[in-house]
C-alpha cells in the first residue's frame, strides 16, 4: 500500500473513495490483471501509446472493476483512451442488444474525435459504433426495430434528448451499461441548469440496473464533484496534476 501511494505521488495522482484499485504502470498489466486481450493492447500500441498516462494508469483499473468514476486530468493527457479501453473490453464484442455504452461530448467536433479514437482502439472487435449526425436520419435509424445492432453511441446531449423525446422515443437506451460524460466541466457550465436536466432525462432512459457512470473533466469544478457525490454510488475520484485534497 505504501508503494502504491508512492507511485501515485510521483505521478501526481490523487484519489478518494473506498477500495480504490491499484494503478497500472504498463499496459501489459491490463492483460494479467483484467484479461484485456492482446489485440486491444496492440490497438493502443498501433496508436503510438507505449505507456499509460497518469489518468490512464488509475482510471483504467477503476473502470475495469466496474466502479463509477469522476476523473479530472489536464487537456491532452489521454482521457479519451482512459474511458474507451475499459468500455471496449467490458462490452466483450458485439451482442445485438442495442446501445450498451453512451458517450456524451459537448461539441460535435469532439464527438467526431472520440468516434475516430473508438474506431482505432476497437479495431478488429466488430463493434457497431455510431455518432448521431443528422437528427432526421437518426429518427429512422435508431428506431426500436433497427437499433439492436448498435453497441456504442457517441453524441452531443441535445440530439440524444431530442430523439428520446419523440413519441414513441426514437432511440432505446434500455441496455446501456456505461454512460460517460466527457468534458463534464464544460457541459455543466453551459446553460447553467440546461445540461443537468438533459443528463437527468438521459439517465432516466438508461433503465438497466447495472448502469455505471463516468465523468471526465479537465478541471475539478465544485458543481461537477457535488453532482457526482450525490448521484454516483461507490464513487471514486481521481485527480491528476494538482495537489489539493
Ligand atoms: P484529453 O481528452 O485528456 O484532452 P486526449 O484523449 O484527446 O486527451 O489525448 C491527447 C493526445 O494524446 C491524443 O493525440 C492521443 O492520441 C494521445 N495519447 C493518449 N494516450 C496516450 C498514451 N498513452 N501515450 C501517448 N499518447 C497518448
Ligand atoms: P449541434 O452541434 O448541431 O448544435 P446539438 O445536439 O447541440 O447539435 O443540437 C441539435 C438539436 O437541434 C437537436 O437535438 C434538436 O433538438 C434540434 N434539431 C436538429 N435537427 C432537427 C430536426 N430535423 N428537427 C427538429 N429538431 C432538430
Ligand atoms: Mg478529451
Amino acid at each position: 500500500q505504501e508503494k502504491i501511494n508512492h507511485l501515485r505521488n510521483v505521478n501526481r495522482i490523487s484519489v478518494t473513495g473506498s477500495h480504490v484499485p491499484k494503478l497500472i504502470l504498463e499496459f501489459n498489466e491490463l492483460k494479467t490483471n483484467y484479461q484485456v486481450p492482446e489485440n486491444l493492447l496492440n490497438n493502443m500500441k498501433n496508436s503510438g501509446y507505449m505507456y499509460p498516462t497518469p489518468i490512464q494508469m488509475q482510471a483504467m483499473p477503476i473502470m475495469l472493476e466496474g466502479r463509477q468514476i469522476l476523473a479530472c486530468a489536464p487537456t491532452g493527457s489521454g482521457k479519451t483512451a482512459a474511458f474507451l479501453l475499459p468500455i471496449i473490453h467490458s462490452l466483450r464484442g458485439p451482442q445485438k442488444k442495442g446501445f450498451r455504452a453512451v458517450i456524451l461530448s459537448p461539441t460535435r467536433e469532439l464527438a467526431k474525435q472520440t468516434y475516430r479514437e473508438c474506431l482505432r482502439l476497437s479495431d478488429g472487435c466488430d463493434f457497431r459504433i455510431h455518432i448521431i449526425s443528422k437528427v432526421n436520419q437518426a429518427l429512422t435509424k435508431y428506431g426500436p426495430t433497427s437499433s439492436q445492432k448498435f453497441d456504442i453511441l457517441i453524441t452531443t446531449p441535445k440530439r440524444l434528448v431530442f430523439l428520446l423525446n419523440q413519441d414513441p422515443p426514437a432511440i432505446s437506451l434500455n441496455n446501456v451499461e456505461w454512460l460517460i460524460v466527457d468534458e463534464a466541466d464544460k457541459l455543466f457550465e453551459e446553460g447553467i441548469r440546461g445540461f443537468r436536466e438533459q443528463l437527468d432525462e438521459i439517465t432516466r432512459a438508461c433503465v438497466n440496473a447495472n448502469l455505471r457512470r463516468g465523468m471526465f473533466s479537465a478541471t475539478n469544478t465544485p458543481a461537477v464533484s457535488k453532482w457526482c457525490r450525490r448521484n454516483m454510488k461507490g464513487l471514486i475520484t481521481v485527480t491528476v496534476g494538482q495537489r489539493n485534497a
Side-chain angles (χ1 to χ4, degrees), residues 40-41 47 50 61 64 92 103 120 134 143 153 165 173 203 207 216 236 242:
L40 293 189
L41 300 181
S47 304
M50 295 305 159
L64 285 165
R92 289 171 212 275
I103 296 150
R120 269 205 312 272
K134 295 226 171 67
L153 178 67
N165 283 336
L173 303 181
T203 305
V207 293
F216 285 76
I236 296 176
Q242 42 183 207

Side-chain angles (χ1 to χ4, degrees), residues 75-76 78-80 83 110 113-114 182-183:
T75 302
K79 291 189 290 293
T80 319
F83 61 76
L110 274 165
Q113 285 174 26
T114 303
D182 192 17
E183 308 261 2

